[in-house]
Amino acid sequence: MDNTFKYLHLKHAGKSAYEIVDEIMEKYKSPIFVIKKIKEIFPDLGLAEAKEIVIIRTSEHKNLGAYQENLFVDLEELDRFMNEENENKNP
């Protein structure tokens, strides 16, 4: 499910939530900090919603669930890669 449009109505100081994410990311480069700031700007949002806004704006994922599914795949790939590296170092 594409939740991109779910947050388009959120505005603060004439800017959309996604524009705010862009500005904060440009300045601080930290998704964790951006999530915290989004929660401060939009206090009615839950933590998962704030995280989803940041994920949608900063990745190819269109909802938090897709991001989390992909994260596990990426971690499994990293684990496989690390095991291969260790095997190559210790023949």
Side-chain angles (χ1 to χ4, degrees):
M1 170 192 251
D2 185 341
N3 285 347
T4 304
F5 297 104
K6 180 178 175 180
Y7 304 106
L8 287 177
H9 71 282
L10 294 175
K11 304 276 185 194
H12 177 76
K15 297 176 186 168
S16 74
Y18 298 126
E19 291 170 319
I20 294 168
V21 168
D22 290 344
E23 288 180 1
I24 298 170
M25 279 297 291
E26 186 176 314
K27 186 173 183 179
Y28 296 102
K29 312 283 189 234
S30 169
I32 299 296
F33 186 78
V34 177
I35 292 167
K36 179 180 181 270
K37 293 303 282 183
I38 289 293
K39 284 275 300 145
E40 290 173 7
I41 293 168
F42 303 105
D44 292 337
L45 289 178
L47 180 59
E49 292 169 312
K51 183 177 180 182
E52 186 167 56
I53 290 169
V54 174
I55 293 303
I56 289 170
R57 190 59 176 182
T58 61
S59 75
E60 73 277 2
H61 304 290
K62 300 300 178 193
N63 63 56
L64 188 56
Y67 168 77
Q68 291 174 326
E69 286 175 18
N70 194 310
L71 181 62
F72 290 122
V73 171
D74 289 345
L75 289 173
E76 288 172 350
E77 179 70 20
L78 176 62
D79 185 51
R80 193 177 87 245
F81 176 76
M82 296 296 288
N83 286 336
E84 288 174 3
E85 284 284 312
N86 286 336
E87 288 174 6
N88 289 335
K89 287 181 182 177
N90 302 319

